[in-house]
C-alpha cells in the first residue's frame, strides 16, 4: 500500500484567492493511501521543499502529490526535492490547480470543488505509480545550423568559438541571408554590408565551421544527441575547387533575361551568376532552368571562356549523411505576396514598390547603382508616399494578424535617408500606429519627423491608382477627420514579413511545432524561448517570430549557448516515460509505427512464450531514446499491447474514476 503525502501551494494569492486551500487539504487527507496533507504559501520555495523532504523522512512516504502550478514550471523542482529525500522522482505527481483552476474560475466554491477533484485524480494515479529509471544516450559533438543568414552565421560562430564542429546549410548560392540585401540598418544607420561581410568571412575561414551553400536538408532521423541528417548538395555546374571567382563567365554569358532574385526582380541577371559581389563562396552557379546549354544543348560560352576549366555541365546532385548532436533552425523570413492587395496597384505600376525593393534601389550595388529613381521612367521622384502595415495587423484573411515589428523603424530609416540625400523630395507616411519599442528607437522616429520634416499622417490608404505618370493616393486622415487625395511619384509598401516558405517542410522533418502563422513555437515563451518542444532542436532569428537584427543576434547567441550546453555533455539522461509493447498481445499490425510522429517504433521477430506456447512473432519495439511519451501509439493500438510507462491505461482510468466519484 502506498503512503502518499499531499502538499497544497497557495502560490501567494494566485491560487489562494479563488481556491479554499484548507478545504483542499482536508479533502485530500481523507483519500485512501494519504497519510499526510498540508499547505504552504510557496511550496516551490526552499522552505516549501524542506517541508516536503521532512514529511517524506518522518512519515515514510512512498509517493507525493503537489497541488500547485503547471508541471511545466516546477515538476522538476519537486522531483529533485523528492529524490534528495530518497523517493524515486517519478513517484511525484502535480495537480495543476492554478492554470487549470484558480486562473480560469472566479467563483470560490466552484474553483475549490474542481481543485479537490484534480487532487483526487492525482492521488489515484500515484497509487498505481511505479519507480522508473531514466536511461542514457551518447552525444555527437557536432551541430547543424539550417540557414545562413545573420542568425545562422552568429549561432555557428558562437558554437564554433566554444570548440565544437558546426555545419551551416544554406539553400541559396551564398550565405548572408536577408541582411545582405539591406543598405543601412536602424537606428545607427550603419552600412549593412560593412557589419555583415566580416561575419561572413569569419564563418568561412573558421576551422570549426563547414558551409554547405546551394544545399538543402533532405531528411532528418534520430533523436537529441544523435541526429542523422541527409543533406542534398545541389549541382552548381561549377567545380568549386577550380573556380577562381574571376567573373568572366558571367560577363560573357549571352542569356541575361532571368529576373534577379537578389534585387527582388528589379533587373535581370545572367544564367550563370553570383548573387552579389561579397558572396561567400565567391563561386557562380549555373541556373539550369534558364541556361541555353541545358535547354537546347547549344551555347557553352562559359566553358569556353573559363581558363580554370571549372565549368562542369555533367555535375550531379550529391547527398551526404552527417550525424549531429543538436540542430538550430535559422531559416529567416520573406515578405508576403501582394496578389490580394490590388487596391495598392502593386501589379499595375512599377512605381509602387515594397520596402525591400527600395532597399535594393538605394544600395550602391543595386539595380540603379544607389540612385533613387522611378522604375517606370528612371526619373528621380519629387514626392513619395509610404504606406504602413500592408498585410500586418489584418482583421481579414488576406494578411497576417500580427505586427511585423520592424516596419515602423525601417520606414523611418528610409524617410530619413531620402530626405538627407534628396532634400527636395517630399515624403509622407500613412500609419495606423507608430510602434518603436527599442533602445533609441523612439528618438530615431522623432528625428525623422522633427529634423527631417517627414509628414506622418495617422490614417489608412484606401486606394492607389495610376494616373498618367503620377499615382493618385486616396486616404483618410483620422486625426483631422478628413479625406485626402494626393498625387505622388512613388509609393512604398511596408509589407508584412512571414517565415520562409520552407519552414513547414523543415518543421515536419524535425517534428518541431509551428503556430498558425508558420512561426516555429518555443518550448516556453518566457523560460525556454530558444528551444523547440522537440529535444535537441533550437530556434534562432525570425523563424520563431518577427524581430530586428540586434534581437536576432541576441537570440542567436542564446541558441548557441543552449547548444554548447548540450554538446558539452558526454551522455544525456533519457525520459523513462516512454511507450512499451507487450509482446504477448502485439499482433504486428504496424498501426503504432504509422502514427508515431518521432519514428521511435520498429518491428522485429521475437521468440514469445504465450502461456506455454513458444513461437516467433513480429512485435513492436520502441526506441526509448526517440520516444517522447506522446501516447499516440497507445491510443491507436487495436490489441491493447502498447502502454505508456508512467501514464498507463490503468493509471488514466483510475484518474477518470476518481474524477467521476
Amino acid at each position: 500500500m502506498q503512503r502518499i503525502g499531499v502538499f497544497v501551494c497557495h502560490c501567494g494569492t494566485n491560487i489562494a484567492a479563488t481556491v479554499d486551500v484548507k478545504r483542499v487539504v482536508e479533502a485530500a487527507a481523507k483519500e485512501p493511501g494519504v497519510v499526510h496533507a498540508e499547505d504552504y504559501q510557496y511550496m516551490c520555495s526552499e522552505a516549501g521543499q524542506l517541508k516536503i523532504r521532512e514529511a517524506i523522512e518522518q512519515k515514510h512516504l512512498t509517493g507525493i502529490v503537489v497541488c500547485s502550478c503547471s508541471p511545466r514550471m516546477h515538476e522538476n523542482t519537486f522531483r529533485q526535492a523528492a529524490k534528495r529525500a530518497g523517493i524515486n522522482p517519478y513517484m511525484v505527481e502535480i495537480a495543476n490547480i492554478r492554470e487549470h483552476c484558480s486562473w480560469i474560475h472566479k467563483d470560490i466554491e466552484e474553483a475549490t470543488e474542481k481543485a479537490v477533484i484534480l487532487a483526487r485524480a492525482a492521488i489515484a494515479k500515484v497509487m498505481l505509480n511505479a519507480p522508473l529509471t531514466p536511461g542514457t544516450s551518447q552525444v555527437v559533438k557536432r551541430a547543424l545550423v539550417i540557414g545562413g543568414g545573420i542568425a545562422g552565421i552568429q549561432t555557428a560562430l558562437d558554437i564554433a568559438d566554444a570548440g565544437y564542429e558546426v555545419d551551416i546549410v544554406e539553400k541559396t548560392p551564398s550565405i548572408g541571408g536577408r541582411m545582405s540585401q539591406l543598405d543601412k540598418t536602424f537606428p545607427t544607420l550603419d552600412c549593412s554590408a560593412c557589419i555583415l561581410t566580416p561575419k561572413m568571412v569569419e564563418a568561412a575561414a573558421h576551422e570549426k565551421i563547414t558551409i554547405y551553400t546551394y544545399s538543402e536538408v533532405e531528411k532528418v532521423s534520430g533523436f537529441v544527441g544523435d541526429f542523422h541528417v541527409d543533406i542534398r548538395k545541389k549541382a552548381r555546374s561549377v567545380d568549386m575547387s577550380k573556380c577562381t571567382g574571376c567573373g568572366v563567365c558571367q560577363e560573357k554569358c549571352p542569356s541575361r533575361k532571368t529576373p534577379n532574385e537578389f534585387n527582388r526582380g528589379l533587373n535581370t541577371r545572367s544564367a550563370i551568376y553570383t548573387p552579389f559581389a561579397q558572396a561567400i563562396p565567391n563561386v557562380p552557379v549555373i541556373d539550369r532552368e534558364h541556361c541555353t546549354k541545358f535547354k537546347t544543348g547549344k551555347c557553352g560560352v562559359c566553358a569556353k571562356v573559363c581558363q580554370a576549366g571549372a565549368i562542369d555541365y555533367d555535375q550531379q546532385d550529391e547527398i551526404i549523411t552527417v550525424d549531429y548532436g543538436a540542430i538550430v533552425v535559422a531559416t529567416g523570413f520573406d515578405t508576403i505576396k501582394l496578389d490580394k492587395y490590388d487596391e495598392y496597384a502593386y501589379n499595375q505600376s512599377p512605381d509602387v514598390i515594397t520596402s525591400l525593393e527600395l532597399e535594393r534601389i538605394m544600395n550602391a550595388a543595386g539595380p540603379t547603382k544607389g540612385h533613387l529613381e522611378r522604375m517606370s521612367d528612371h526619373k528621380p521622384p519629387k514626392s513619395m508616399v509610404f504606406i504602413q502595415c500592408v498585410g500586418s495587423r489584418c482583421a481579414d484573411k488576406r494578411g497576417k494578424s500580427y505586427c511585423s515589428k520592424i516596419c515602423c523603424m525601417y520606414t523611418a530609416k528610409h524617410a530619413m535617408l531620402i530626405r538627407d540625400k534628396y532634400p527636395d523630395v517630399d515624403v509622407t507616411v500613412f500609419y495606423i500606429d507608430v510602434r518603436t519599442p527599442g533602445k533609441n528607437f523612439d528618438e530615431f522616429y522623432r528625428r525623422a519627423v522633427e529634423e527631417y520634416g517627414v509628414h506622418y499622417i495617422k490614417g489608412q490608404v484606401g486606394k492607389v491608382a495610376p494616373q498618367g505618370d503620377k499615382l493618385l493616393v486616396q486616404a483618410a486622415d483620422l486625426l483631422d477627420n478628413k479625406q485626402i487625395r494626393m498625387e505622388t511619384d512613388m509609393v512604398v509598401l511596408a509589407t508584412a514579413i512571414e517565415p520562409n516558405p520552407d519552414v513547414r517542410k523543415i518543421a515536419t522533418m524535425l517534428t518541431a511545432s509551428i503556430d498558425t502563422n508558420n512561426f516555429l513555437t518555443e518550448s516556453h515563451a518566457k523560460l525556454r524561448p530558444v528551444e523547440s518542444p522537440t529535444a535537441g532542436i533550437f530556434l534562432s532569428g525570425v523563424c520563431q517570430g518577427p524581430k530586428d537584427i540586434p534581437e536576432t543576434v541576441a537570440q542567436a547567441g542564446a541558441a548557441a549557448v543552449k547548444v554548447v550546453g548540450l554538446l558539452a555533455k558526454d551522455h544525456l539522461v533519457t525520459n523513462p516515460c516512454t511507450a512499451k509493447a507487450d509482446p504477448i498481445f502485439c499482433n504486428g499490425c504496424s498501426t503504432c509505427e504509422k502514427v508515431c510522429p518521432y519514428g521511435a517504433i520498429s518491428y522485429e521477430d521475437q521468440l514469445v512464450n504465450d502461456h506455454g506456447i513458444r513461437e516467433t512473432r513480429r512485435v513492436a519495439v520502441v526506441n526509448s531514446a526517440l520516444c517522447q511519451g506522446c501516447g499516440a501509439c497507445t491510443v491507436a493500438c487495436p490489441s491493447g499491447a502498447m502502454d505508456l510507462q508512467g501514464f498507463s491505461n490503468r493509471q488514466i482510468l483510475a484518474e477518470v474514476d476518481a474524477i467521476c466519484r
Side-chain angles (χ1 to χ4, degrees):
M1 182 72 174
Q2 299 277 24
R3 294 178 60 83
I4 300 170
V6 179
F7 303 88
V8 185
C9 181
H10 293 239
C11 197
T13 58
N14 278 302
I15 293 173
T18 46
V19 173
D20 188 338
V21 173
K22 297 296 183 184
R23 276 177 55 191
V24 177
V25 172
E26 292 170 6
K30 298 175 183 177
E31 290 294 311
V34 176
V35 298
H36 178 83
E38 67 173 302
D39 62 284
Y40 187 67
Q41 189 168 15
Y42 294 106
M43 199 60 74
C44 61
S45 66
E46 192 65 38
Q49 293 178 60
L50 181 61
K51 283 181 174 292
I52 293 174
R53 293 202 300 271
E54 288 176 347
I56 291 171
E57 293 165 359
Q58 294 170 9
K59 300 291 180 69
H60 306 293
L61 303 180
T62 59
I64 65 172
V65 171
V66 183
C67 302
S68 61
C69 59
S70 166
R72 292 184 69 186
M73 296 290 291
H74 286 300
E75 183 177 57
N76 190 56
T77 301
F78 296 124
R79 279 182 173 176
Q80 293 305 313
K83 185 179 180 181
R84 287 192 291 271
I87 285 186
N88 185 286
Y90 295 93
M91 297 298 291
V92 177
E93 287 299 324
I94 308 295
N96 185 356
I97 63 170
R98 189 179 74 174
E99 285 86 346
H100 287 178
C101 192
S102 65
W103 278 3
I104 58 174
H105 292 288
K106 295 183 180 178
D107 182 74
I108 292 180
E109 285 297 320
E110 188 180 33
T112 303
E113 182 182 353
K114 184 175 180 181
V116 170
I117 292 172
L118 291 172
R120 206 161 60 206
I123 293 167
K125 184 172 186 294
V126 171
M127 289 289 287
L128 297 173
N129 271 8
L132 298 174
T133 304
T136 59
S137 61
Q138 296 283 340
V139 178
V140 178
K141 308 288 186 176
R142 191 181 192 94
L144 169 66
V145 177
I146 305 175
I150 183 59
I153 292 170
Q154 187 63 52
T155 302
L157 284 171
D158 289 345
I159 296 170
D161 286 343
Y164 295 100
E165 301 281 345
V166 191
D167 292 348
I168 299 175
V169 174
E170 168 57 43
K171 69 175 183 178
T172 65
S174 169
I175 60 173
R178 199 64 65 201
M179 188 176 172
S180 62
Q181 294 179 292
L182 306 183
D183 183 43
K184 300 286 191 296
T185 60
F186 60 78
T188 53
L189 298 182
D190 292 324
C191 166
S192 180
C194 298
I195 56 180
L196 173 65
T197 303
K199 291 283 185 185
M200 295 167 59
V201 173
E202 186 181 355
H206 205 294
E207 61 179 6
K208 296 285 186 180
I209 296 177
T210 303
I211 299 174
Y212 297 107
T213 55
Y214 208 51
S215 303
E216 294 185 23
V217 173
E218 191 90 351
K219 181 183 176 184
V220 179
S221 59
F223 48 90
V224 55
D226 190 18
F227 292 106
H228 312 296
V229 182
D230 291 349
I231 301 170
R232 179 180 292 274
K233 297 170 65 178
K234 292 183 287 186
R236 301 177 81 101
S237 303
V238 176
D239 190 331
M240 294 181 67
S241 62
K242 295 180 180 179
C243 179
T244 61
C246 66
V248 174
C249 56
Q250 299 174 60
E251 294 174 9
K252 301 297 183 180
C253 178
S255 178
R256 315 189 69 87
K257 295 182 179 180
T258 308
N260 189 334
E261 302 91 344
F262 189 77
N263 284 333
R264 307 298 289 182
L266 295 176
N267 65 347
T268 58
R269 59 163 171 81
S270 54
I272 183 169
Y273 69 102
T274 303
F276 56 102
Q278 302 95 330
I280 290 179
N282 186 25
V283 177
V285 171
I286 294 181
D287 182 348
R288 295 188 174 189
E289 186 179 343
H290 297 97
C291 176
T292 305
K293 175 69 175 178
F294 283 96
K295 289 196 298 183
T296 66
K298 300 176 181 178
C299 190
V301 170
C302 51
K304 296 172 185 175
V305 300
C306 179
Q307 296 183 356
I311 304 300
D312 182 4
Y313 297 123
D314 298 324
Q315 195 177 78
Q316 299 296 317
D317 290 3
E318 178 187 359
I319 295 180
I320 61 172
T321 302
V322 189
D323 293 342
Y324 299 100
I327 298 174
V328 181
V329 184
T331 48
F333 72 94
D334 203 348
T335 55
I336 65 167
K337 291 185 177 9
L338 294 173
D339 300 339
K340 299 177 182 178
Y341 292 88
D342 291 336
E343 66 265 35
Y344 298 125
Y346 177 76
N347 294 318
Q348 302 167 34
S349 172
D351 297 329
V352 180
I353 60 174
T354 67
S355 296
L356 193 52
E357 290 167 0
L358 180 62
E359 288 281 356
R360 297 310 305 150
I361 289 172
M362 297 177 69
N363 191 290
T368 63
K369 308 301 182 186
H371 302 295
L372 181 64
E373 56 188 55
R374 291 156 37 112
M375 299 309 294
S376 60
D377 55 14
H378 299 289
K379 294 180 179 178
K382 296 297 182 184
S383 64
M384 297 181 67
V385 167
F386 288 79
I387 304 175
Q388 296 295 91
C389 298
V390 177
S392 297
R393 303 173 63 191
C394 269
D396 55 37
K397 294 182 180 180
R398 294 190 302 168
K400 307 297 182 180
S401 59
Y402 54 83
C403 170
S404 293
K405 199 171 183 178
I406 58 175
C407 314
C408 289
M409 284 299 293
Y410 70 56
T411 294
K413 174 193 75 174
H414 289 153
M416 287 171 60
L417 292 172
I418 290 168
R419 290 285 293 165
D420 182 58
K421 193 172 180 180
Y422 307 96
D424 294 336
V425 177
D426 186 71
V427 177
T428 302
V429 178
F430 286 95
Y431 68 96
I432 300 174
D433 298 296
V434 175
R435 296 182 171 184
T436 54
K439 185 178 180 181
N440 297 324
F441 281 15
D442 198 57
E443 296 87 338
F444 185 81
Y445 151 66
R446 290 207 307 269
R447 278 178 60 200
V449 177
E450 296 166 6
E451 295 182 27
Y452 289 88
V454 179
H455 308 299
Y456 271 76
I457 299 175
K458 183 177 177 64
Q460 291 182 296
V461 173
K463 188 174 181 62
V464 176
Q467 287 198 345
D469 62 348
K470 295 285 186 179
L471 295 167
L472 178 63
V473 177
Q474 301 177 41
D477 186 335
L478 299 182
L479 295 181
D480 290 342
N481 193 25
K482 65 179 182 180
Q483 294 294 313
I484 297 175
R485 290 169 61 90
M486 61 184 297
E487 287 188 339
T488 187
D489 293 322
M490 288 182 74
V491 170
V492 183
L493 307 177
T495 51
I497 63 173
E498 63 180 0
N500 190 291
D502 292 335
V503 75
R504 180 172 282 274
K505 181 178 74 173
I506 291 170
T508 302
M509 284 191 284
L510 300 175
T511 64
S513 302
I514 57 176
D515 63 19
T516 54
N517 293 305
N518 288 344
F519 287 111
L520 290 163
T521 53
E522 58 283 344
S523 182
H524 191 286
K526 299 177 182 66
L527 303 180
R528 300 173 67 188
V530 298
E531 301 171 64
S532 168
T534 302
I537 308 299
F538 302 90
L539 315 177
S540 180
V542 185
C543 70
Q544 182 260 335
K547 52 182 65 71
D548 57 23
I549 294 170
E551 195 177 349
T552 293
V553 172
Q555 190 183 33
V561 168
K562 289 292 185 180
V563 170
V564 170
L566 172 60
L567 299 185
K569 300 174 182 176
D570 292 325
H571 297 87
L572 293 177
V573 176
T574 58
N575 178 18
C577 298
T578 55
K580 187 176 182 180
D582 186 334
I584 292 178
F585 294 107
C586 181
N587 61 17
C589 67
S590 299
T591 301
C592 56
E593 183 184 26
K594 293 172 184 175
V595 300
C596 178
Y598 302 99
I601 301 175
S602 59
Y603 281 81
E604 63 180 39
D605 293 332
Q606 290 185 3
L607 186 64
V608 178
N609 187 344
D610 187 355
H611 299 87
I613 301 174
R614 298 166 63 87
E615 60 182 354
T616 301
R617 295 181 183 175
R618 180 176 182 267
V619 297
V621 178
V622 179
N623 184 333
S624 58
L626 275 176
C627 179
Q628 300 295 310
C630 70
C633 56
T634 64
V635 177
C637 181
S639 61
M642 194 67 75
D643 216 349
L644 190 60
Q645 298 179 101
F647 296 90
S648 67
N649 293 333
R650 283 187 66 211
Q651 289 173 306
I652 301 298
L653 290 173
E655 288 185 277
V656 173
D657 289 341
I659 291 170
C660 296
R661 280 211 316 263

